[in-house]
Amino acid sequence: MDEFKPLTVDSLCWRCAPEQFTFKSTEDLEDLAEVIGQERAVEAIRFGIGMRRTGYNIYSLGPEGIGKHTVTRKYLEEQAKEEPLPLDWCYVSNFAEPRKPRVLQLNAGRGAVFQADMARFVEDVRHALRSAFESEEYRTRRQVLEEEFKERQEHALEAIEEDAKAHGITLLRTPVGFAFAPVSGGKVISPEVFERLPKEDRERIEADIDELQKRLHRVLHEAPRWVKELRDKIRELSEETAMFAVGHLIQDLRHRYGDLAEILSFLDDVQQDVVRNVETLAGVQEKPGSQGASAGSDDGHPILRRYLVNLLVDNSSLKHAPIVYEDDPNFDRLRGRIEHRAEMGALLTDLHMIRSGALHRANGGYLIVDARKVLTRPMAWEGLKQALLIREIRIEPLAHALGLFTTVTLEPEPIPLDVKVVLVGDRMIYYLLAELDPEFSRLFKVAADFDERIDRNDENNLFYARLVATLVRKEELKAFDSGAVARVLEHSARHAGDSEKLSTHIEKLADVLREADYWAGKQGRGMVGAGDVQRAVDSQIHRLDRVRELIQEEIRRGTIVIDTDGATMGQINGLSVMQLGGSAFGRPSRITARVRLGRGEVVDIEREVELGGPLHSKGVLILAGYLSAQYASDHPLSLSASLVFEQSYGGVEGDSASSAELYALLSAISEVPIKQCFAVTGSVNQHGEVQAIGGVNEKIEGFFDLCAARGLSGEHGVLIPDTNVKHLMLHSRVVDAVREGKFHIYPVKRIDQGIEILTGVPAGARGPDGRFPEGTVNQKVEAKLVELARRRRAFGRAAEREDGE
Amino acid sequence: MTERPETEVPRRILVALEGDEGAAALLEAVASLAAGLHAELVGLFVEDIALLDAAGLPVARFLPSHAQAHAALDAAMMQRALRISASKAGAALAAAAESRRVKWSFRVVRGTMQDLVLAEVQTHDLLALGASGRAVRRARHAVATRVVAQQAPCSVLLLSTARADERPVTVLYDGSQRALVTGERLARIYGRPLLVVALGESDEAAQALETRACDWIEQQGARGQVRRRAVSEAEEICEALRAQHPGVLVVDPEGELVRRFGLESLLGELRCSVLVLR
């Protein structure tokens, strides 16, 4: 039997020697300007930024807390500094179609000036119109027109009245209209007197009244035309006065904005509108104490508000192209919204209640949005895509976009969109979008894939130390001495789950630095040492350690049955990792196997009761393949085996226990007991090769803690795949026990190696005669399988006979 | 401070109405005045007997202003129309008075405007009459109005329906101290500017009147403007007053100039509201 040696202490953990560093503390290190270990992502971001074609938006993908935002923003800022300021955008009235406000664009900073100019214009126009319309000249001219009209009417009626008087008739105005009546002595003749008049007189009066009524009818028929003429003349007078009053104000604005044809056109419209509404405007009263109409205020008269400017995007304070991060990317906050105010039970709006969205503010620059957030806000993803596809921003209520309501509201003119969008999210979302959303690939052609690990080498170690120094200064922490930095690097390797790698998870790193600084402060130290870092790490683990301790306790108390000494057939200690929130720890589990005569199936009880996942089931099925190929190549595999994770109630997934299951199965078949002082992890293939698994450190520590609690005998140990040795970053308590010979870790390449360690019996290799040596595990397994095959054949013949009889 | 000259403060104001058209504006103005003077408002709606007589004639027809053809008219129809007018006028009076917490009453009488008002006004301190801008009303009622204005034992306020807005209370000042005092009080009540138009038959006379008016305004601590003009005939007086666009014109018939040229000539030509003092 070969003697398999456990791993030496050197292989169990990479220890970072502070002596390798030339600095004493992080104070001696410069800030890290570049990004370490993200060359692929940085190259992609640079490409995405530089590529000014449609659809070359960027998706920064990687795990949370890895620094995607920081890195992306850093390169966006570098680029944005080289880019020109974007335009200001304003909404102004569309006098032809009030529901569709017009959009105007001005150079950055000029929008605010234009807004202020129009606010001043509104103020001035009120005063100018009031002065003009209250002037004696205007009032006199208007009065002349009114007098002229009255006189015209009066003369016409007076002429009729004079004529009537000549015929002894008077014209009366009654509550129901005009009437003629004969008079005598200045008084209307009473009906009795009229009846006593001679017939010819009565007929003459009647004829005269008929004639007068005809004339009166003609006069009254003309009256509406005279009224219209008067109105027209007054309107002409008002327009002439208004043009004069506001003409110079408009002219001033024309001079200021002579280079902007659209604004000149708007000013023409304003002037025409002022003239059209001059009667109303001249009567606008200033509210006591008000400072006049201003943008966004509700003080202005509705007509005056039409001349004000809604400065939707004001870039006056920018120094370069904008970079906007929208923390709450819902539909409205991305595309802008139209607000309403409640008035007498009705919801009212106007162009001044149009509000910008993140796309407006980022137009001409960059917009950063969290992928998960934009996907979870109703219609936000669709709204963002639509804007990018049509390259313009349309502001519409969400209910309209969904087709839920058709109420009349504003339809602001769309704004052309030129923006580079950066989505930041995890990989799964990226892959799902790429798979399920055909438009995603058209719009986000650049994937910036962030790596969560970098190679550990001298150069990267120093970079990492500078990263620590940078974060220390950024967070205003105490300086870290070289020992503390070394411990941080070790922790980073452990976090990466690989002794040859370092984690790029900046957020986790920053957590450790902050907490180490806290513990150093508690100890009254001015500089953070390795002990403080260790305490920070241990405290983090301890805070989340309740469930691990609970399980360990239940094992120690025998509630969960795990043997750590003795030897048992068909029973082995497997190892699994439990991931709870931010905590991961190893948990030993008893795996048992039973065999009997059967048709060659290995029953996975976990799968039968739907507690086993597909990967676990795959691992178990591989066992049958291994058994058939290894032992039953020339006879049918005639056993029925069952495998179970004892006291497992929460489901099993992954194939990391498949080697342990195979060992248990071989033990059950061969009836060779397995030493319970060992635990096993590793998957196996059909050739009996043991393959790497995840969480090797947590698994080892989980079994170690149990054994240590029961008392280390010097026999205890864990079998791990040989390919996992490079991942070992074990806690010092394990390393120390190994150093003292109290605990052992065996790297295993093949099942044969493992079964020898576990049973103390040679596995045995086939000799030239094709047989395994007598007394080996393999020989016993094969003999048992041959015996089972023979019994199965005999059983089959007996059954056929019974059927024949 | 100089003591203000004594003038009688009206305590009962009679407002005579003969139709509902323009009644609301008229009543608003009178109610404001009554509130300012703490006076009682008495409304009198006159059902003109001439209209009832005319409606009873077999030749009676009426032509509505906005209708295409004449229609038959009878006394019953006229009575109903007058009743509706009276009802509207009463409601307008109640609204105007109650909104200003002015004590008020309202009556409907039948007869001729001139006779009834002159009879009723004996127990009142101020008579308010509507001075319509319509030609027909002016032609027929102007005479009655002018007669009433000249014969009434109390001051008469002839209210025009023409827009007054913020136009000043204007005093025709030909030396009448009463006109100045009343004008200044009226300006305060209406919250309008006071404008004194000093009219003399010569530049010197006008200038002297202007000086006296300025002095008086200063003594009273009041605020107002004084303008002067030399006039030699009634038309010039009217022209001088029209040029100032008065809101309410205060006229003292006992003033030297008004006596010379006659009150009627002024009332016939001016379209603004006029307060004729007694």
Side-chain angles (χ1 to χ4, degrees), chain B residues 120-138:
Chain B
E120 188 70 25
V121 82
Q122 300 299 326
T123 56
H124 292 78
D125 306 319
L126 177 67
L127 169 64
L129 290 170
S132 170
R134 290 277 185 150
V136 174
R137 288 173 75 93
R138 279 190 356 122

Side-chain angles (χ1 to χ4, degrees), chain B residues 2 39 41 44 77 95 102 107 113 115 120 131 133 152 158 181-182 188-189 193 219 232 238 241 243:
Chain B
T2 311
L41 199 55
L44 187 71
M77 184 180 180
V102 169
R107 282 191 300 130
M113 177 79 168
D115 298 343
E120 188 70 25
L158 299 167
V181 173
T182 307
R188 268 191 286 120
I189 290 171
Q219 284 169 8
S232 55
C238 293
L241 293 170

Side-chain angles (χ1 to χ4, degrees), chain A residues 136 139-140 143 147 154 161 171-179 181-182 189 191 194-195 206 209 213 217 220, chain B residues 21 50-51 53-54 56-59 61-63 65 68 70 78 81-82 85 133-136 139-140 167 245 271:
Chain A
E136 286 302 324
R139 287 159 72 151
T140 304
Q143 207 165 5
E147 289 292 322
E154 283 172 8
E161 192 168 41
L171 177 58
L172 300 168
R173 176 160 184 167
T174 76
V176 290
F178 291 102
I189 295 174
F194 185 79
E195 285 300 326
E206 196 165 353
I209 287 177
Q213 280 177 333
H217 187 272
L220 293 181
Chain B
E21 192 188 348
L51 297 182
D53 283 346
L57 291 170
V59 294
R61 301 276 189 282
F62 76 95
L63 179 61
S65 304
Q68 288 292 328
H70 295 87
M78 183 58 72
L82 288 171
S85 286
R134 290 277 185 150
V136 174
R140 205 175 72 80
R167 294 181 189 183
H245 304 293
R271 290 190 184 279

Side-chain angles (χ1 to χ4, degrees), chain A residues 536-604:
Chain A
V537 172
D538 291 343
S539 298
Q540 278 186 351
I541 294 169
H542 181 67
R543 289 198 294 270
L544 296 167
D545 211 22
R546 188 185 65 82
V547 177
R548 189 194 69 85
E549 282 186 1
L550 196 65
I551 290 172
Q552 289 278 340
E553 184 185 355
E554 292 306 321
I555 294 172
R556 288 197 302 274
R557 294 171 67 191
T559 313
I560 300 172
V561 183
I562 304 286
D563 290 341
T564 52
D565 54 23
T568 308
M569 280 190 297
Q571 176 178 306
I572 194 167
N573 294 320
L575 293 169
S576 57
V577 173
M578 290 188 78
Q579 191 87 38
L580 291 173
S583 155
F585 57 88
R587 180 201 157 166
S589 296
R590 171 179 286 181
I591 299 170
T592 58
R594 300 296 296 272
V595 295
R596 60 185 175 85
L597 181 63
R599 292 184 176 180
E601 74 272 24
V602 178
V603 176
D604 175 11

